[in-house]
Amino acid sequence: MWRLLTRVCPRVTGSQALAGLRGLSLKTSPELKVCIVGSGPAGFYTAHHLLKYRESAVVDIYEKLPVPFGLVRFGVAPDHPEVKNVINAFTQTAHHDRCSFYGNVNVGKDVSIEELKQAYHAVVLTYGAEANRTLGIPGENLLGVYSAKTFVGWYNGLPENRKLNPELSSETAIILGHGNVALDIARILLSPIDSLRKTDIAAHALEAIAASKVKRILLVGRRGPLQVAFTIKELREMINLPDTCPLLHPSDFEGLKHIVKDLPRPRKRLTELMMKAALEKPSGKEAERRATACKEWGLQFLRSPLEVIPSNNGKRVAGIRLSVNKLEGLGESAKFVQTEDVEDLECGLMLSSIGYKSYPIDPSVPFDQQQGIIPNNLGRVLHAPGLYCSGWVKRGPTGVIVTTMHDGFETAESVLEDARLGALDVSASKGGFQIMEALLKKRGVHPVSFSGWQKIDNVEVANGKKAGKPREKLLDVQEMIEVANQ
């Protein structure tokens, strides 16, 4: 029995394994009303687990936008449609007869956390990391300097970023960061425009990138090749990008051959691919492809930004001053130390891809400003009974969708365990959305249901079909609401 439960519920604790037994008595257990704030992967995976393992659980998902799916819709690169397939599973969860979606409800503004706690037995915060990490250096507010989050939101059709109108008239761009988002941005900027036309990239971004003069991108990181945060898939895509040549300096990989063999397999394969691109002379078709390439990209290691260099008129970015670093320690945990040496690089576009950051949603919710997370134990918010968290606001903006899935399951299991053991009082019934509906109506807020989202979805797919794309996203919140209400 225990072996079977482990196969059904991978990566479970002893308490999680008990979840498989709950079905024997769930129909007689009291109703558990749970509110989830945020409709990205963390929210939907938490909802899925709650609904699966407690037949008396009722889950309401609140989202500040009229449309669901969070970073799957607004963060995943448009040329990675396969990653967005998780939307199919999330849609199944949303269609569950004990699950409801309420878009266009801004928790913390339209309703407070305390009001939600009055209406539900448990409130789970899964609102992600929507703020930018700033560089904290002179000149980062100059024209032509953008955060990766804002730029990604711009080409992915996030309403708040649709009017960004980035400056793409320079041949050279610098991206600060060595993560997957940094490589995503570089790939989108350098991809052949005909390949982007077949994606769900926002129409305004497609038009701007088609007219872009960016031909050279340098990705700058504070540490060395053994500490890069991107994965082999993204690196391989960059190396094989049509009409584009990788520029990796052989000197950056000196002395790594004897180290690589002892690295964990994923890091070993990633480093070997970088070394191959840097050290091996291409031949045949690959040599021909690189020789005829009209664009290029490269990796710059051991550099930290000191200041953005302004143009002569003091308004635009003209370059960046970097500190030359050295490493202390070994492997992925090695730390960088700035030296007295500096280096200036010219560029007309600079993108900061140094990570996302969560923000405190409500004064009543504990928040660790330094780490940018809600303090918690297995998803239980510390010193706040009935309050839980999941996803990036729980652990920080790291990991992939699978990481978030396990994270959501863990938090859901904490909720279920607390309800079962009495730490969460479910003896009294709760009004749930009925209470919230009255409050929202009084405040002039009109929630968008999942069927309303599906109307938006149908319009977007139809508009995309006309343009030869999988979808053309609606960019205006008011237009979304009007479509949803038709």
Side-chain angles (χ1 to χ4, degrees):
M1 181 65 173
W2 285 103
R3 250 178 280 149
L4 174 63
L5 287 173
T6 303
R7 285 202 303 272
V8 173
C9 242
R11 207 177 152 272
V12 294
T13 62
S15 63
Q16 285 174 313
L18 290 172
L21 301 173
R22 279 192 285 269
L24 299 175
S25 58
L26 290 185
K27 292 181 180 178
T28 57
S29 60
E31 185 177 66
L32 171 63
K33 283 197 173 177
V34 181
C35 159
I36 294 177
V37 180
S39 66
F44 270 104
Y45 282 127
T46 303
H48 168 81
H49 196 86
L50 290 168
L51 294 165
K52 182 176 181 180
Y53 289 111
R54 186 168 177 122
E55 288 186 17
S56 63
V58 175
V59 179
D60 291 341
I61 301 174
Y62 291 83
E63 166 61 50
K64 74 173 185 176
L65 287 170
V67 295
F69 310 134
L71 278 184
V72 177
R73 177 179 169 95
F74 295 118
V76 174
D79 59 345
H80 282 175
E82 72 285 353
V83 181
K84 301 181 186 184
N85 287 338
V86 292
I87 285 175
N88 297 328
F90 298 162
T91 299
Q92 284 187 346
T93 299
H95 281 148
H96 196 289
D97 58 3
R98 288 181 280 114
C99 183
S100 299
F101 170 81
Y102 301 106
N104 194 42
V105 179
N106 192 343
V107 173
K109 182 181 175 183
D110 297 331
V111 294
S112 70
I113 295 296
E114 285 302 319
E115 287 169 334
L116 289 173
K117 287 177 73 174
Q118 292 298 315
Y120 293 88
H121 295 109
V123 176
V124 186
L125 303 172
T126 69
Y127 60 86
E130 296 187 1
N132 298 315
R133 286 194 182 276
T134 56
L135 293 165
I137 60 173
E140 67 176 310
N141 295 320
L142 289 171
L143 180 63
V145 180
Y146 309 97
S147 73
K149 178 190 176 299
T150 303
F151 196 80
V152 169
W154 169 73
Y155 66 61
N156 271 332
L158 184 62
E160 67 188 65
N161 300 136
R162 64 194 173 106
K163 295 181 180 178
L164 182 67
N165 193 24
E167 180 60 57
L168 303 177
S169 61
S170 169
E171 286 195 2
T172 302
I174 287 177
I175 301 176
L176 301 175
H178 279 171
N180 280 341
V181 174
L183 262 64
D184 280 348
I185 292 171
R187 190 180 67 254
I188 294 299
L189 281 171
L190 296 177
S191 285
I193 200 66
D194 285 343
S195 66
L196 290 180
R197 290 187 204 281
K198 300 170 187 174
T199 73
D200 68 354
I201 189 170
H204 61 252
L206 183 65
E207 184 180 345
I209 293 172
S212 167
K213 293 184 179 174
V214 176
K215 292 184 177 180
R216 180 175 184 265
I217 296 180
L218 194 60
L219 297 107
V220 178
R222 298 176 299 177
R223 299 192 292 168
L226 296 181
Q227 292 84 36
V228 295
F230 51 73
T231 53
I232 193 167
K233 176 181 181 291
E234 277 69 20
L235 176 63
R236 189 179 291 115
E237 286 178 322
M238 286 300 298
I239 291 173
N240 297 327
L241 200 59
D243 303 324
T244 306
C245 178
L247 296 175
L248 278 71
H249 301 293
S251 59
D252 288 328
F253 300 89
E254 287 178 0
L256 291 187
K257 284 187 178 179
H258 69 284
I259 298 175
V260 170
K261 58 179 173 42
D262 297 322
L263 294 173
R265 189 168 182 270
R267 177 66 65 180
K268 178 175 182 283
R269 291 176 62 232
L270 175 62
T271 308
E272 285 174 341
L273 182 56
M274 281 190 285
M275 291 173 65
K276 181 180 179 182
L279 303 174
E280 291 185 16
K281 190 175 181 180
S283 59
K285 288 185 177 180
E286 179 60 16
E288 186 179 328
R289 183 182 76 83
R290 293 193 189 184
T292 58
C294 59
K295 301 175 183 178
E296 60 188 27
W297 67 275
L299 297 173
Q300 183 89 343
F301 300 104
L302 297 172
R303 300 292 186 273
S304 293
L306 293 175
E307 64 177 297
V308 180
I309 301 171
S311 59
N312 291 334
N313 65 7
K315 295 180 180 179
R316 293 180 39 78
V317 55
I320 185 165
R321 179 157 295 160
L322 302 165
S323 162
V324 178
N325 302 332
K326 62 179 182 180
L327 284 183
E328 288 187 353
L330 299 171
E332 295 182 25
S333 61
K335 299 188 181 302
F336 74 93
V337 177
Q338 294 183 356
T339 69
E340 293 182 357
D341 296 331
V342 297
E343 179 180 69
D344 290 352
L345 297 176
E346 292 183 9
C347 68
L349 170 67
M350 198 186 88
L351 295 143
S352 168
S353 183
I354 59 171
Y356 292 26
K357 187 179 180 182
S358 295
Y359 62 88
I361 193 171
D362 189 287
S364 68
V365 180
F367 193 80
D368 184 329
Q369 291 284 358
Q370 189 172 357
Q371 294 189 65
I373 61 170
I374 295 172
N376 70 92
N377 178 22
L378 301 177
R380 298 176 179 92
V381 178
L382 300 183
H383 314 300
L387 203 57
Y388 302 81
C389 59
S390 182
W392 282 4
V393 77
K394 170 185 173 184
R395 68 176 191 277
T398 58
V400 294
I401 289 178
V402 173
T403 320
T404 301
M405 178 183 73
H406 289 303
D407 188 73
F409 290 173
E410 179 184 76
T411 293
E413 192 52 43
S414 291
V415 175
L416 295 175
E417 189 176 72
D418 288 353
R420 188 177 73 253
L421 298 179
L424 198 61
D425 184 11
V426 294
S427 60
S429 62
K430 293 282 188 173
F433 181 68
Q434 281 189 329
I435 292 176
M436 302 317 301
E437 186 176 28
L439 277 176
L440 292 169
K441 188 174 182 181
K442 188 190 259 186
R443 293 166 187 174
V445 180
H446 306 286
V448 171
S449 66
F450 201 78
S451 61
W453 145 246
Q454 289 182 306
K455 292 177 184 177
I456 296 170
D457 183 38
N458 290 337
V459 168
E460 290 184 343
V461 171
N463 290 345
K465 193 173 182 181
K466 294 174 189 173
K469 301 168 63 179
R471 79 170 57 240
E472 190 65 71
K473 292 174 186 171
L474 299 183
L475 306 177
D476 182 76
V477 169
Q478 194 54 45
E479 184 181 4
M480 292 176 183
I481 295 170
E482 289 170 5
V483 170
N485 290 333
Q486 286 176 359

